[in-house]
Amino acid sequence: MAGVIIVGAQWGDEGKGKVVDIYTDEADYIVRYAGGPNAGHTLVVDGQKCVVRLVPSGILRRDAICVLGQGTVVDPKVLVGELETLEAKGLAPRERMRVAERAHVILSYHILVDGLREATASAIGTTKRGVGPCYEDKAARRGIRLRDFRSRADLTARVAKAIEAWSPVIVALGGQVPSVEAVVDDAWAAGQSLLPLLADTAALTEVALRDRKRVLFEGAQGTLLDVDHGTYPFVTSSSAIAGGACTGVGIGPSRIDSVVGLAKAYCTRVGGGPFPTELEGPVADRIRTVGAEFGSVTGRPRRVGWVDLPALRYAVRLNGLDSIALTKLDVLAGLETIRACVAYDTPEGRTRDFPADDLASCTPVYADFPGFSQDVSNARALSELPKEALDFVRFVEIEVGCPLSIVSVGPGRDQTIVLSHPLRDA
Ligand code: GDP
Ligand code: IMO
Ligand code: MG
């Protein structure tokens, strides 16, 4: 049995797509457990870029089964569009996709409400993909699930109830309440075309694990965006942390062998919310440009800052990380000084912990490192890194107290220093 979770250890966009793609070489199943089309996971193969939002990042490897668990929220039109794009590339993704019949569905009114709210003063900078309102419906027990597309009459009745509940909200936000028929029509064809892919994905995943298949659980978003443990209320609406793989897929915690946390050698955040190590000015512009830090879903410029080690320690604890894959080291090349936040000064004194709810009153304490000028994107072993880069990487590892399994030095599959392989070693 080998169940390995890949989880974002920061605010998302840590490079999960790339690392999942690398590990998929050894995996039989890739299972998404949370989030929806708010995710944007980038794969770069032979210089060709491919961004997936709902389809798991294993899809480019020709034999892995790709699963969307029931903790995810699915926009049928987005999923069908992605499958068509992959088909146009000569792949046959439908043969390898299984989608939880109990996954909740994002419909047009979710996207409408998300967009209307984001136009008000209480905007938090969501991706406007309807993800939050869809999870709200799920918790309110009036959500629509993919299995509901089996009967148009049932679906219509459920949509009518949901629209009744959302109408006052839409009106108060100045929007126009859509007709039930228009909502059903909009999603019907896409929903129908997904029916052949529907499955009991919890059972399927458990059987795979029992059959000693290698299962990779692909996280979306990141620890600091988790609805329970992130920088609330500037978070997403699902359980992004590793524990979310068990609830989101429907497997027991004893099935997990290893958890890999993904972290950039610096930090980014897209959307609003506290970001204590945030940088502005020429260094920020340089990191943003060299690192191509623009949202893969929305194209928004990502906010950038120095690596936050208290936040990483928090992620190690919350996810029970066995190792860290440190990405985008190459982006720091050419900076005169590299900084790492090692602690926070708080009104109560200095702490090495991450004060998730009180960041506004905290000041980061930094350790400074001399930069390195060499291009490191061709390094394939730690010994090929310049001393300054290696010192920085080792410092992060020791300060956080978690071994590194990967150091990523470029977006390509091969631009990777692999130190250990949780699926191979499990
Ligand atoms: P995800 O959401 O965690 O999958 O990450 P995204 O795909 O949204 O953003 C990560 C971006 O960094 C993508 O454009 C990747 O191609 C790119 N990337 C991943 N690893 C590296 C790396 O080590 N170096 C560089 N320069 N780019 C990387
Ligand atoms: P991946 O999987 C980065 C952020 C949004 C916003 C907040 C809530 O690519 O790492 P939502 O649309 O979920 O209601 O937005 O969460 N966010 C992400 N930021 N990467 C993501 O996914 C994100 N998914 C959501 O920017 O701040
Ligand atoms: Mg992303």
Side-chain angles (χ1 to χ4, degrees):
M1 184 176 78
V4 173
I5 300 174
I6 306 291
V7 63
Q10 296 164 326
W11 279 287
D13 302 327
E14 300 91 347
K16 296 177 290 293
K18 167 178 166 161
V19 170
V20 168
D21 174 61
I22 294 171
Y23 286 156
T24 303
D25 225 3
E26 308 283 332
D28 302 301
Y29 287 74
I30 317 297
V31 186
R32 273 274 306 265
Y33 58 85
N38 47 351
H41 297 176
T42 312
L43 320 167
V44 179
V45 182
D46 299 331
Q48 298 269 34
K49 188 170 150 176
C50 170
V51 179
V52 285
R53 295 183 196 172
L54 276 165
V55 172
S57 299
I59 201 72
L60 296 189
R61 306 280 188 175
R62 288 186 186 265
D63 44 9
I65 303 283
C66 291
V67 179
L68 283 178
Q70 60 211 44
T72 62
V73 286
V74 177
D75 180 328
K77 292 201 296 183
V78 171
L79 179 54
V80 168
E82 260 179 58
L83 294 172
E84 285 171 356
T85 305
L86 291 163
E87 277 155 9
K89 286 182 195 280
L91 294 163
R94 284 174 174 271
E95 288 170 15
R96 294 191 286 116
M97 274 290 295
R98 308 284 182 273
V99 183
E101 60 175 6
R102 293 200 256 164
H104 281 250
V105 179
I106 298 177
L107 292 166
S108 58
Y109 49 88
H110 296 125
I111 299 169
L112 174 67
V113 170
D114 202 354
L116 289 169
R117 283 178 178 159
E118 283 298 302
T120 69
S122 40
I124 65 149
T126 74
T127 59
K128 299 197 251 186
R129 294 302 189 271
V131 169
C134 182
Y135 279 116
E136 282 175 58
D137 270 353
K138 173 178 174 173
R141 294 162 293 202
R142 58 165 182 258
I144 313 293
R145 298 181 296 172
L146 281 167
R147 67 201 309 276
D148 298 328
F149 276 85
R150 291 194 178 119
S151 153
R152 186 159 177 134
D154 264 11
L155 178 69
T156 305
R158 288 177 200 278
V159 168
K161 279 200 176 151
I163 290 192
E164 194 185 326
W166 282 113
S167 288
V169 178
I170 295 172
V171 170
L173 288 166
Q176 204 167 356
V177 179
S179 78
V180 175
E181 269 311 306
V183 170
V184 173
D185 276 349
D186 181 59
W188 182 251
Q192 290 303 293
S193 98
L194 293 177
L195 290 182
L197 309 186
L198 299 192
D200 178 347
T201 52
L204 175 157
T205 307
E206 172 65 10
V207 168
L209 286 162
R210 274 201 221 150
D211 286 350
R212 300 184 177 277
K213 302 285 187 212
R214 293 156 305 174
V215 182
L216 205 52
F217 297 93
E218 176 179 358
Q221 291 76 54
T223 303
L224 304 177
L225 290 171
D226 181 273
V227 67
D228 291 299
H229 304 283
T231 48
Y232 193 88
F234 297 95
V235 293
T236 191
S237 306
S238 61
S239 295
I241 60 167
C246 294
T247 50
V249 178
I251 48 149
S254 58
R255 298 292 183 258
I256 303 302
D257 296 290
S258 184
V259 185
V260 182
L262 276 267
K264 285 176 186 170
Y266 48 97
C267 253
T268 62
R269 168 159 216 176
V270 57
F275 185 1
T277 65
E278 184 166 15
L279 277 165
E280 274 164 28
V283 175
D285 293 342
R286 185 192 161 96
I287 293 176
R288 188 176 299 110
T289 308
V290 176
E293 295 297 357
F294 296 88
S296 24
V297 175
T298 57
R300 291 180 287 179
R302 292 176 184 150
R303 299 158 66 192
V304 301
W306 299 117
V307 73
D308 184 329
L309 301 180
L312 260 186
R313 283 182 210 115
Y314 184 63
V316 170
R317 168 162 69 79
L318 281 171
N319 296 297
L321 295 187
D322 294 299
S323 71
I324 289 179
L326 191 70
T327 60
K328 304 195 95 161
L329 181 65
D330 54 303
V331 175
L332 297 180
L335 295 177
E336 202 170 308
T337 303
I338 300 170
R339 312 190 85 185
C341 167
V342 291
Y344 280 100
D345 276 336
T346 79
E348 288 79 40
R350 189 161 286 188
T351 175
R352 280 164 56 84
D353 294 334
F354 185 66
D357 274 310
D358 300 304
L359 286 167
S361 58
C362 299
T363 315
V365 179
Y366 288 104
D368 286 358
F369 294 81
F372 51 95
S373 52
Q374 298 95 315
D375 173 16
V376 296
S377 61
N378 292 318
R380 298 295 176 266
L382 289 181
S383 57
E384 293 170 19
L385 290 177
K387 179 183 180 306
E388 294 82 1
L390 186 57
D391 284 351
F392 175 71
V393 163
R394 287 294 188 211
F395 180 82
V396 170
E397 187 175 39
I398 289 166
E399 275 286 304
V400 169
C402 184
L404 298 180
S405 42
I406 272 183
V407 177
S408 174
V409 291
R413 253 182 201 173
D414 57 325
Q415 293 177 305
T416 313
I417 300 172
V418 179
L419 302 167
S420 65
H421 196 311
L423 273 171
R424 212 179 286 156
D425 305 340

